[in-house]
């Protein structure tokens, strides 16, 4: 990914507002106007005849699609408030030519073809100086997986009374003879994809919000297999089996607390911060959250760890609280402290229910959207910590 700052100098003195526009050619022909695609526009520098634009970065694939000799055209405009920007001039270069300027300034003459045709003594409309050029390596999600980074998948299932009595058809946990419950379908759809990235296929699985035998106390973090010393289940089928067993042995109760299980996974993630492990917590819930403040605090704390949280909301509830935790629009905050990065992805299960009965296709779409942000979230953690793949070349 190249990073480039530019400075523009011009001969005329009547213009006071300049805009630099960066566009990339799709062929090697010189300036085929209909064949250029804009790949970057700089900020507007106002009231300055010799503007210096801020450095910017652009992926090599966007600049030249990997063709280092592909023509890159730069246009310079005089900015007007009404949008009728005046064209000052242009010049052509290429990624290869730009890269030669890594250790020295390079000056380009900005030419206006119309003026050049009309004026015999026309030289140029100014110059643009490339102040610096640097290339940064960008690693992909696959680079880290190939390099040995392990994904650790943990499941947490909502066992609160708001889901309805499991033996009743109105319950979100109800298992009909003909199809899985919404909880089981979501777990199977997501788990069967992510288990391919988990080498040992052992998944810690918890329930929360139920009264648990033998003493009947409410637990917000009970192992589905009822083994506190080893809460891991073998594969997604093992998780499903333990989930079905728990439905028959615990009493759905409440409240709906997310923080305990988030903090549990965060404690594990805090022990493995070298990039060798990355933790993914899947929470399946009916959306009626009780410990919002504590959950926000847990998410903010976990945002500095190698960890992501997926929340699948089942049922018809109002999921505004879940949307708030997602943090796509506004980063989650707690006590004046903002999450270091976005680690939560929320999707409502009802958006993926296929009423025509094609559950395979609808669950594939669910898994795709649920897992869409995991690669970028993993990369954001690795990048902020300057962690490189153990054995991989950048793409």
């Amino acid at each position: 990914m190249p990073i480039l700052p530019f400075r523009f100098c011009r001969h005329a003195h009547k213009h006071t507002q300049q805009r630099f526009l960066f566009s990339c050619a799709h062929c090697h022909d010189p300036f085929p106007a209909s064949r250029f695609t804009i790949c970057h526009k700089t900020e507007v520098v106002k009231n300055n005849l010799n503007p210096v634009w801020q450095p910017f970065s652009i992926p090599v694939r966007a600049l030249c699609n990997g063709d280092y000799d592909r023509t890159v055209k730069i246009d310079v405009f005089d900015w007007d408030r009404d949008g009728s920007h005046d064209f000052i001039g242009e010049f052509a270069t290429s990624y290869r030519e730009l890269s030669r300027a890594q250790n020295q300034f390079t000056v380009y003459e900005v030419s206006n073809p119309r003026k050049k045709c009309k004026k015999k003594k026309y030289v140029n409309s100014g110059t643009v100086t490339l102040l610096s050029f640097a290339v940064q390596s960008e690693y992909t999600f696959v680079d880290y997986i190939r390099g040995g980074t392990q994904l650790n998948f943990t499941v947490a299932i909502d066992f609160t009374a708001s889901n309805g009595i499991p033996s009743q058809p109105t319950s979100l946990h109800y298992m009909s003879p003909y199809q899985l419950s919404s909880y089981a379908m979501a777990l199977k759809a997501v788990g069967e994809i992510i288990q391919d990235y988990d080498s040992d296929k052992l998944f810690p699985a918890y329930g929360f919000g139920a009264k648990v035998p033998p003493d009947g106390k409410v637990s917000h973090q009970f192992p589905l297999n009822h083994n506190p010393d080893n809460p891991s289940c073998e594969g997604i089928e093992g998780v499903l089996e333990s989930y079905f067993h728990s439905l028959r042995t615990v009493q759905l109760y409440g409240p709906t607390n997310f923080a305990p299980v988030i903090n549990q996974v965060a404690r594990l993630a805090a022990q493995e911060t070298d990039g060798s492990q990355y933790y993914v917590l899947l929470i399946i819930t009916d959306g009626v959250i009780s410990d919002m403040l504590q959950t926000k605090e847990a998410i903010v704390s976990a945002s500095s760890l190698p960890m992501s949280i997926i929340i699948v909301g089942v049922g018809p509830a109002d999921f505004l609280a879940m949307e708030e935790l997602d943090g796509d629009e506004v980063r989650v905050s707690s006590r004046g402290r903002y999450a270091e990065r976005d680690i939560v992805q929320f999707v409502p299960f009802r958006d993926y229910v296929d009423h025509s009965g094609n559950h395979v296709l609808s669950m594939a779409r669910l898994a795709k959207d649920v897992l869409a942000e995991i690669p970028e979230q993993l990369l954001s953690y690795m990048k902020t910590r300057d962690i490189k793949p153990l054995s991989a070349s950048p793409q």
Side-chain angles (χ1 to χ4, degrees):
M1 177 176 291
I3 300 175
L4 313 93
F6 285 88
R7 178 176 63 206
F8 176 65
C9 296
R10 58 166 306 156
H11 305 309
H13 54 76
K14 66 177 181 178
H15 297 292
T16 59
Q17 301 176 339
Q18 313 294 337
R19 182 162 192 165
F20 177 75
L21 185 147
F22 203 98
S23 60
C24 175
H26 285 282
C27 67
H28 298 291
D29 298 340
F31 303 112
S34 62
R35 298 190 182 184
F36 283 93
T37 299
I38 295 174
C39 56
H40 184 76
K41 291 183 180 180
T42 69
E43 78 283 4
V44 176
V45 180
K46 297 181 179 180
N47 303 319
N48 192 331
L49 290 175
N50 299 296
V52 177
W53 290 278
Q54 292 295 318
F56 60 88
S57 61
I58 182 170
V60 172
R61 63 180 178 276
L63 180 65
C64 63
N65 200 29
D67 180 356
Y68 293 173
D69 294 310
R70 174 172 290 190
T71 301
V72 176
K73 181 168 74 77
I74 290 85
D75 294 339
V76 183
F77 288 86
D78 175 49
W79 180 84
D80 288 318
R81 187 182 301 275
D82 62 4
S84 59
H85 312 314
D86 298 322
F87 177 66
I88 295 175
E90 62 192 14
F91 66 92
T93 183
S94 65
Y95 174 89
R96 192 180 302 280
E97 183 177 316
L98 290 167
S99 65
R100 295 192 184 108
Q102 293 194 50
N103 300 313
Q104 61 184 15
F105 290 179
T106 302
V107 180
Y108 295 93
E109 290 192 357
V110 177
S111 176
N112 188 319
R114 289 186 178 181
K115 290 185 177 180
K116 192 171 184 178
C117 291
K118 291 181 178 180
K119 300 179 180 180
K120 294 183 179 180
K121 295 184 178 181
Y122 176 82
V123 179
N124 60 51
S125 296
T127 60
V128 166
T129 302
L130 173 61
L131 300 178
S132 64
F133 181 94
V135 178
Q136 295 179 340
S137 299
E138 290 283 322
Y139 295 99
T140 68
F141 175 73
V142 174
D143 288 332
Y144 285 97
I145 298 301
R146 286 176 176 170
T149 296
Q150 296 292 316
L151 293 189
N152 297 281
F153 184 50
T154 300
V155 176
I157 296 178
D158 187 337
F159 281 80
T160 56
S162 56
N163 287 282
I165 301 173
S167 60
Q168 300 297 319
T170 55
S171 172
L172 295 171
H173 285 297
Y174 178 68
M175 304 292 296
S176 85
Y178 308 105
Q179 70 178 48
L180 297 174
S181 68
S182 297
Y183 277 87
M185 290 175 68
L187 173 59
K188 189 176 178 66
V190 177
E192 286 184 344
I193 298 297
I194 206 168
Q195 72 177 355
D196 291 337
Y197 298 94
D198 192 311
S199 59
D200 62 13
K201 305 293 188 292
L202 295 176
F203 307 126
Y206 299 94
F208 57 89
K211 288 185 174 181
V212 182
D215 54 13
K217 290 184 177 179
V218 175
S219 173
H220 301 293
Q221 186 190 328
F222 63 90
L224 294 185
N225 64 5
H226 300 288
N227 183 353
D229 296 327
N230 183 13
S232 296
C233 303
E234 293 188 12
I236 293 305
E237 291 303 321
V239 176
L240 284 167
E241 183 179 340
S242 295
Y243 161 59
F244 299 149
H245 177 70
S246 290
L247 283 176
R248 297 189 295 268
T249 57
V250 305
Q251 178 187 351
L252 273 61
Y253 203 70
T256 307
N257 293 347
F258 285 5
V261 72
I262 293 175
N263 289 329
Q264 165 68 14
V265 176
R267 283 191 289 271
L268 297 174
Q271 300 173 18
E272 307 279 357
T273 59
D274 61 354
S276 63
Q277 309 289 326
Y278 194 85
Y279 290 79
V280 179
L281 169 62
L282 170 65
I283 300 175
I284 310 178
T285 180
D286 70 348
V288 186
I289 187 170
S290 306
D291 65 339
M292 190 66 169
L293 294 179
Q294 293 86 345
T295 295
K296 284 184 176 181
E297 185 171 353
I299 290 172
V300 170
S301 296
S303 67
S304 63
L305 300 172
M307 175 177 170
S308 291
I309 302 169
I310 300 167
I311 303 174
V312 177
V314 298
D318 182 346
F319 290 121
L320 285 178
M322 300 299 108
E323 298 285 359
E324 185 177 349
L325 295 178
D326 192 302
D328 282 343
E329 301 298 329
V330 179
R331 192 68 57 84
V332 176
S333 64
S334 174
R335 300 181 181 181
R337 186 164 62 107
Y338 283 83
E340 182 178 310
R341 57 196 181 90
D342 177 18
I343 65 169
V344 180
Q345 166 76 337
F346 167 75
V347 296
F349 183 84
R350 60 180 175 241
D351 289 356
Y352 299 86
V353 176
D354 190 329
H355 297 288
S356 67
N358 191 343
H359 297 301
V360 174
L361 181 60
S362 59
M363 290 305 97
R365 289 194 301 110
L366 170 69
K368 176 179 178 293
D369 289 353
V370 161
L371 300 173
E373 294 185 10
I374 298 298
E376 188 58 38
Q377 289 173 359
L378 182 148
L379 291 175
S380 71
Y381 174 80
M382 300 299 186
K383 189 171 184 178
T384 56
R385 300 300 186 279
D386 195 27
I387 298 173
K388 297 177 175 57
L390 297 179
S391 57
S393 300
Q395 298 296 312

